[in-house]
Amino acid sequence: MQVLVVGGGGREAALAWKLSKSPSVSGIWVTHENPGFPAKARKLPEGEVAYQADQAGVDLVVVGPEAPLAEGLADRCRELGVPVFGPVAQAAQLESSKAFAKDFMAEHGIPTAAYGVYESAEAAHAAITGPCVVKADGLAAGKGVFVCTDAEQAHAAIDTVFEKGLGATASVGASAVIEELLVGEEVSVLALCDGQRFVLLPAAQDHKRRFDGDEGPNTGGMGAYAPAPVATPELLQQVREQVIAPVVAGMRAKGTPFVGVLYAGVMVTEQGPKVLEFNVRFGDPECQPILQLLDEDLAQLLLSCALGGLVVRDLKQHPGVACCVVMVSGGYPGSYPKGLEIAGLDPERDLDSETLVFQAGTSRKGAVTVTQGGRVLGISARGADIAQARARAYERVAEISFEGADWRQDIAFRALNRN
Ligand code: AMP
Ligand code: GLY
């Protein structure tokens, strides 16, 4: 099988790595450069991705990020008859439009925070009574969500959303969602869907805030581990029945079957699981530990979703736990320098050991690998338990360096505190 991975970050490095281990994969194509891709990955010629994939004889397109899905890449692949793992644009609105997601959840009785959608700053200001969460509608790369513990913060967030136009995308006009502030522990439940059926991946926990103790600004994610003990079998059963199954059935009924990863960001509240958000793709960095834990032929699994023939079962996974620590550039999520040399990488073992180094924001400058993005590397290790997995990840982190390198020291603290 020839497989194309769309995207060039840490998540795609993990996808390319896992796909390259599939016995059924003879060739890997990629759309982006990432020095951390498996050596055998070949760059797809420039041009329209679906067309180039078809020309190259690609048997399966695996889409990493949300933007190409929202722009209709899966629709184009389907038109051309190229099997694609990822939802069509209509279904991708579950992520690209928070208002769409909220309306969909209301329509299908999926538990989530109470909310309202406001088309103007005036209307939004008038709705504020106290603590709440203000969200820009549209894709804002994680920067469009403001958790406000009082009304003053909420008013400021509304001004930011409307004045900076965070809510404005080509497809969905400026609007804001204001919702009930939920209290509990968060967990990411990812399902592989074939439009009709689904299977759950090991549940993961992300760390969105930049600093230890969940302080500081939101980021794309500073680290993750799986399986997350907060996701008990009972909780997963509730998420299956109350969240994933109704989404898959509802999307099918709308005539836009959901194919791809349905990622439910869930708050485990005293009243049970409530959906914070949907993503329509693997999380980054959740993908890294999840795939490290998965003991399956990923290419076959994703192809069966793309073709509508997924077999419902418990996925095989390696015993133990996987934990990923993200190393970031100094300054991230604000501005940061680029082009700094990274020392301590080891191509021989970085993609071939119990401790993996996935490159995210890197590039090659001659013979050296340099920083190129905010999230630079994801170090993902497997261990018998969370303590061992995270200790191994941090040991490898300590061997790698670049100027200004930083990371959270407390990844998986919630799982550790349970023990
Ligand atoms: P989102 O991009 O919608 O996932 O939001 C980013 C983060 O904001 C989430 O991971 C939560 O930590 C937080 N958040 C979003 N909505 C709520 C809510 N209704 N109550 C509490 N926290 C929230
Ligand atoms: N790590 C969160 C996300 O991928 O959306």
Side-chain angles (χ1 to χ4, degrees):
M1 211 195 288
Q2 297 280 319
V3 183
L4 169 68
V5 175
V6 178
R11 165 183 49 211
E12 291 76 26
L15 284 165
W17 162 77
K18 186 70 179 170
L19 289 165
S20 76
K21 303 271 183 210
S22 288
S24 44
V25 169
S26 54
I28 303 244
W29 294 89
V30 291
T31 55
H32 287 64
E33 315 257 358
N34 178 330
F37 279 150
K40 69 176 174 189
R42 272 182 297 171
K43 181 107 188 313
L44 195 73
E46 295 295 330
E48 201 219 337
V49 171
Y51 173 81
Q52 295 295 349
D54 192 28
Q55 292 294 305
V58 165
D59 301 293
L60 174 67
V61 177
V62 178
V63 187
E66 58 276 23
L69 294 167
E71 287 159 13
L73 176 55
D75 305 64
R76 270 297 284 158
C77 289
R78 286 177 177 274
E79 271 167 35
L80 296 176
V82 182
V84 57
F85 180 78
V88 294
Q90 290 273 338
Q93 288 181 91
L94 277 177
E95 176 169 1
S96 62
S97 166
K98 294 207 183 274
F100 175 92
K102 281 299 205 176
D103 290 343
F104 184 94
M105 284 189 269
E107 198 182 320
H108 295 90
I110 296 169
T112 186
Y115 74 106
V117 183
Y118 303 89
E119 309 288 334
S120 72
E122 293 68 36
H125 281 300
I128 299 299
T129 55
C132 63
V133 181
V134 177
K135 301 185 176 187
D137 195 15
L139 291 174
K143 295 181 185 114
V145 176
F146 303 86
V147 177
C148 307
T149 48
D150 59 35
E152 196 184 333
Q153 287 178 17
H155 289 299
I158 289 165
D159 287 338
T160 307
V161 166
F162 284 95
E163 280 162 26
K164 291 196 183 160
L166 275 175
T169 70
S171 55
V172 285
S175 57
V177 173
I178 298 178
E179 63 181 53
E180 171 197 357
L181 181 67
L182 297 176
V183 180
E185 188 171 334
E186 287 182 58
V187 63
S188 306
V189 182
L190 283 69
L192 304 177
C193 309
D194 79 345
Q196 186 176 358
R197 290 163 292 257
F198 65 90
V199 292
L200 294 191
L201 291 163
Q205 192 165 55
D206 187 18
H207 299 69
K208 285 204 168 95
R209 300 295 195 99
R210 171 63 184 79
F211 300 113
D212 286 10
D214 284 344
E215 301 284 339
N218 264 326
T219 69
M222 296 294 296
Y225 65 97
V230 63
T232 58
E234 299 73 48
L235 181 91
L236 288 175
Q237 190 54 26
Q238 288 176 318
V239 173
R240 226 185 236 118
E241 287 169 8
Q242 298 171 18
V243 180
I244 310 290
V247 171
V248 173
M251 279 294 166
R252 192 154 181 258
K254 268 186 191 296
T256 53
F258 192 96
V259 174
V261 176
L262 177 63
Y263 168 143
V266 167
M267 187 75 90
V268 183
T269 74
E270 283 177 359
Q271 294 83 44
K274 293 197 182 186
V275 175
L276 286 167
E277 59 163 350
F278 286 120
N279 295 318
V280 298
R281 35 105 193 144
F282 284 99
D284 188 350
E286 296 92 317
C287 183
Q288 289 82 320
I290 286 174
L291 293 188
Q292 193 179 15
L293 208 56
L294 195 67
D295 187 14
E296 293 269 348
D297 182 330
L298 186 66
Q300 286 299 344
L301 193 55
L302 302 189
L303 183 68
S304 72
C305 291
L307 299 179
L310 178 66
V311 177
V312 175
R313 62 206 160 88
D314 288 335
L315 295 179
K316 278 187 279 174
Q317 64 185 67
H318 294 288
V321 177
C323 177
C324 177
V325 176
V326 176
M327 296 181 77
V328 300
S329 296
Y332 174 79
S335 60
Y336 48 82
K338 293 181 183 176
L340 304 171
E341 183 169 347
I342 304 170
L345 297 175
D346 181 352
E348 290 290 311
R349 67 177 166 127
D350 282 346
L351 293 184
D352 196 16
S353 86
E354 294 281 283
T355 303
L356 302 164
V357 178
F358 295 118
Q359 298 190 28
T362 63
S363 66
R364 200 100 74 186
K365 202 155 93 186
V368 296
T369 305
V370 299
T371 66
Q372 172 70 29
R375 294 192 294 171
V376 178
L377 303 168
I379 288 76
S380 194
R382 217 162 57 207
D385 56 21
I386 185 60
Q388 189 178 50
R390 85 190 281 279
R392 286 179 175 164
Y394 280 116
E395 264 166 44
R396 188 73 186 97
V397 165
E399 296 170 353
I400 299 173
S401 60
F402 52 90
E403 199 186 316
D406 205 2
W407 56 88
R408 271 181 65 162
Q409 314 268 1
D410 68 341
I411 299 305
F413 72 93
R414 287 194 179 80
L416 282 171
N417 289 347
R418 276 173 184 261
N419 295 338

